[in-house]
Amino acid sequence: MNTWLWFTAKPVVWTLSKSFFRVRAEGKAYIPRTGPVLVVSNHCSYLDPVLLGVTFPRTLRFLAKSELFDVSLLKFLMRQWGQVPVYRSTRAGSYSAIRAAIDLLKRGEAVVVFPEGTRSVDGRFHPEKVHTGAAVIALQAEAPVIPAAVVGSFQALPKGSRFPRPYPVRVIYGSPLDMSEFYRKENSPDLPKILTEKIIQRILALLPESLHPVSSAPSGGEDSQG
């Protein structure tokens, strides 16, 4: 990861984000300043990685769909910043991304996963689309989970829009979800689903009611996609 480029670009992007979106960050005191941490967030917009990146007090690695690496300038920046491509068309590609995330966390880094796997089409959080990959990553890497919520990014740049518009955005970080009691145990096949449900509830607790699902039956899938 080119940390020089990250920390050089961050103040510029923060200034633009603050001016255009009036970004506010809440709950940053919950974020460990060192050691592994897995951030799990709702996902409504292409702005979400940018907004998380500028409000998080550390460098961040993202699991991002591989198609983003096909855009020339974006490919250069994402490679320089050490982001992890997720090849969603194959199970092997998804597992490769999970393995990469685990390795990064074991090196003490901070990693972001969007457990829904793709952007929301209506701005609401969709538990029925959440995959169990984040829980698997946290368990195998023995990393605390920080729930996060980005509020307002859908209005600023919804799915299908080409250009952002001014809209106030909040990035909210919650208290860590400690899974240490489940580390190095003989885990049951249902454990990732149980922990995924805990992650879902922690994200929902940070979101306003207007972004909750209209109706849902929360459940975890088998794969993880960033």
Side-chain angles (χ1 to χ4, degrees), residues 12-196:
V12 177
V13 178
W14 167 253
T15 300
L16 293 173
S17 300
K18 187 72 173 174
S19 301
F20 204 68
F21 304 117
R22 289 177 281 164
V23 178
R24 289 192 295 124
E26 303 171 20
K28 291 172 68 173
Y30 290 124
I31 299 170
R33 293 309 193 260
T34 59
V37 59
L38 180 67
V39 180
V40 290
S41 174
N42 66 315
H43 192 21
C44 299
S45 170
Y46 279 139
L47 293 173
D48 296 336
V50 176
L51 297 167
L52 287 165
V54 297
T55 57
F56 203 79
R58 299 170 53 181
T59 56
L60 278 175
R61 302 293 191 98
F62 292 86
L63 269 62
K65 64 180 183 180
S66 59
E67 293 86 346
L68 295 177
F69 289 78
D70 295 332
V71 182
S72 298
L73 177 59
L74 198 56
K75 176 181 180 179
F76 169 78
L77 291 173
M78 295 182 77
R79 292 291 186 190
Q80 289 294 306
W81 289 332
Q83 309 312 331
V84 179
V86 181
Y87 298 92
R88 302 183 295 180
S89 59
T90 67
R91 185 177 293 271
S94 295
Y95 284 145
S96 175
I98 288 176
R99 185 69 255 170
I102 292 169
D103 289 343
L104 288 169
L105 288 166
K106 286 186 174 180
R107 296 200 322 241
E109 300 205 38
V111 176
V112 176
V113 172
F114 297 113
E116 292 167 279
T118 188
R119 289 167 294 155
S120 171
V121 297
D122 59 4
R124 295 177 180 270
F125 184 62
H126 289 274
E128 75 279 2
K129 294 184 178 180
V130 170
H131 302 270
T132 59
V136 171
I137 290 169
L139 284 170
Q140 293 194 19
E142 299 186 2
V145 173
I146 294 285
V150 184
V151 180
S153 62
F154 180 78
Q155 289 81 358
L157 185 67
K159 193 170 185 175
S161 295
R162 297 183 63 184
F163 302 103
R165 54 189 177 218
Y167 196 89
V169 175
R170 287 191 301 150
V171 181
I172 309 163
Y173 297 101
S175 59
L177 176 58
D178 185 5
M179 297 184 179
S180 58
E181 64 179 293
F182 302 107
Y183 297 164
R184 303 180 187 182
K185 285 189 175 181
E186 190 66 34
N187 297 330
S188 72
D190 292 331
L191 184 57
K193 290 184 178 181
I194 294 170
L195 297 181
T196 297

